[in-house]
Amino acid sequence: MKTVLRAALAAGFALAVSAHAQQAPRVTDAAGAAEAVTVTGKITAIDRANRLATVQGPEGRSVVLRVDPSVTRFDNVKVGDVLVLKYMQSIAIALEKSSGAIREATQTAPVTTKLPGDKPAGVVAQQTTITANVVAVDAKSQMVSLKGPAGNVVELKVKDPALLRDIKPGDQVRAVYNEALAIAVEDAPKPAAKK
């Protein structure tokens, strides 16, 4: 299932690169925020023997995707069909009043759900929990800086200033990221009727 998640995320990000200009989701509220990105691409070539599909993204760039053997109904896909990727990420942060220097990240195993229909479709979801150290708090601008397990520092805008009252440098917070990627192949659009 991890292979499916990696392939799905790679496909989604490969197509989204041109459509979303490689912008990372921005957190607008440290109490909880979510962002969704939808990208569509047209299937331009299929190599069934090698389980490859070429998909052209919204900006005209193409990517060749290796279709995992666990993906059923691949034989129902045809050139001209549309691949729809919907990526959703949400974040929630909760204060943990410990002053230790332990920062960690844990991930749940990816959960894959197949959706009904003639064409391949499914959802892959995963949750990551990160414990980070508070580096700085700017109550006036409602910003908090967090240092994660890999040593990177992220600044978050907090909508509710009351959340910053009890947070100070040295405290730890817990961030929970939920990621889901829905993938569906849809029939090629019907040509417009001639008048």
Side-chain angles (χ1 to χ4, degrees):
M1 291 302 154
K2 285 187 180 182
T3 303
V4 174
L5 176 65
R6 281 193 293 267
L9 291 175
F13 291 128
L15 287 174
V17 164
S18 58
H20 208 276
Q22 294 185 343
Q23 293 178 354
R26 287 173 287 173
V27 177
T28 56
D29 184 353
E35 183 170 316
V37 176
T38 300
V39 179
T40 59
K42 182 179 178 182
I43 297 174
T44 58
I46 298 172
D47 177 350
R48 293 196 195 286
N50 294 307
R51 296 190 63 86
L52 301 174
T54 303
V55 180
Q56 184 178 35
E59 304 260 330
R61 295 184 188 158
S62 292
V63 61
V64 177
L65 305 175
R66 180 170 305 281
V67 181
D68 192 84
S70 67
V71 175
T72 58
R73 302 176 288 197
F74 180 59
D75 291 338
N76 296 346
V77 177
K78 55 189 178 296
V79 170
D81 284 347
V82 176
L83 179 67
V84 179
L85 301 166
K86 293 181 182 178
Y87 175 73
M88 178 71 163
Q89 181 182 47
S90 66
I91 181 173
I93 297 178
L95 178 64
E96 288 188 355
K97 293 301 281 181
S98 69
S99 58
I102 298 172
R103 296 185 313 267
E104 64 181 355
T106 58
Q107 288 185 322
T108 61
V111 176
T112 304
T113 305
K114 292 181 183 178
L115 300 177
D118 294 335
K119 307 266 180 166
V123 177
V124 181
Q126 185 169 15
Q127 185 177 77
T128 303
T129 302
I130 298 173
T131 302
N133 290 346
V134 176
V135 176
V137 177
D138 184 343
K140 186 175 180 180
S141 64
Q142 295 177 238
M143 297 293 289
V144 60
S145 299
L146 305 176
K147 186 173 187 177
N152 55 322
V153 176
V154 177
E155 291 185 347
L156 304 174
K157 174 83 171 169
V158 180
K159 282 185 182 177
D160 182 2
L163 293 173
L164 297 177
R165 280 189 213 137
D166 297 324
I167 299 175
K168 63 185 182 309
D171 286 346
Q172 289 192 330
V173 293
R174 184 174 47 112
V176 179
Y177 295 88
N178 293 299
E179 298 174 288
L181 178 65
I183 304 170
V185 176
E186 299 176 352
D187 289 331
K190 305 274 187 224
K194 294 184 180 183
K195 295 181 179 180

